[in-house]
Amino acid sequence: MITRCLGGAMLLCLAGCGGGGGGNESGGPTPGQIDGQIDGQEVSDPSLLPTTGRASYDGYMRAALPTGEDGARVEYLADLTLAVNFGAGFDQIRGQASGFEARDGVPLSGGLAITDGSIFRGTDSSAAYSFDADLDGTLSDGRASYTIDASMDGEFINQTQTAVRGLVFGDITGPEGQDIFDGTFAGTRIPE
């Protein structure tokens, strides 16, 4: 789990990136709408998170991936879905990121699976994130494939968990070898 101090700096750094022109295949809210709903809202107190019930979130993921010429970084925007099972003993967060598009680049086919998510109810939300998950899969631009082995750290927003946000980071292996990447994600809760 990444600390919020380092994570906050990465989040601010990437939040201003324009990213791609894609995402939002599901017809859900746009990144701008999501950010507008989350900005200024407090982080959920991890100790007060539900211990039963489920929640689903639609949103976006931004990632700077080294898919350009000679491994240059390209900003991608993708659709994100998360399913949270607050009452599960393990694998509490699952989902996917797909539809990776760059503003001026080739879209990436494939997707990333979000698995093995854990909620940390005992954490200090001012110092660390309240959940994490694995982020893995293969993306392709039609000429080359890129294998992702990554993680995501996040937090719930306000006391009714109406949104999530956080960071993604990890390794990517492609034609130029192995490299690292990072990014951000956010989503709003789907009404039941």
Side-chain angles (χ1 to χ4, degrees), residues 47-188:
S47 68
L48 299 178
L49 290 172
T51 55
T52 61
R54 297 173 184 263
S56 298
Y57 298 86
D58 266 344
Y60 70 87
M61 180 179 290
R62 282 194 174 104
L65 303 175
T67 60
E69 189 172 331
D70 296 325
R73 294 196 182 281
V74 176
E75 294 288 335
Y76 287 93
L77 181 64
D79 293 315
L80 173 76
T81 58
L82 284 180
V84 180
N85 184 344
F86 290 105
F90 60 92
D91 204 16
Q92 296 164 309
I93 298 172
R94 299 184 66 77
Q96 68 175 5
S98 60
F100 283 81
E101 293 186 24
R103 180 173 293 139
D104 299 319
V106 175
L108 300 176
S109 62
L112 304 180
I114 299 164
T115 58
D116 297 324
S118 297
I119 297 172
F120 305 105
R121 291 182 172 83
T123 194
D124 175 357
S125 63
S126 67
Y129 286 97
S130 57
F131 70 83
D132 69 9
D134 292 337
L135 179 68
D136 304 298
T138 301
L139 304 173
S140 174
D141 62 9
R143 298 168 302 182
S145 293
Y146 301 89
T147 302
I148 304 287
D149 180 12
S151 299
M152 57 193 302
D153 281 343
E155 59 197 1
F156 296 96
I157 302 300
N158 72 43
Q159 297 315 316
T160 54
Q161 303 83 46
T162 57
V164 292
R165 69 176 170 206
L167 305 172
V168 298
F169 52 92
D171 296 327
I172 178 170
T173 305
E176 302 295 324
Q178 189 176 59
D179 202 345
I180 59 173
F181 78 97
D182 56 19
T184 61
F185 71 90
T188 52

Side-chain angles (χ1 to χ4, degrees), residues 12-38:
L12 287 174
C13 215
L14 284 163
C17 296
N24 202 25
E25 290 177 356
S26 65
T30 66
Q33 291 169 330
I34 293 169
D35 293 342
Q37 291 178 35
I38 293 175

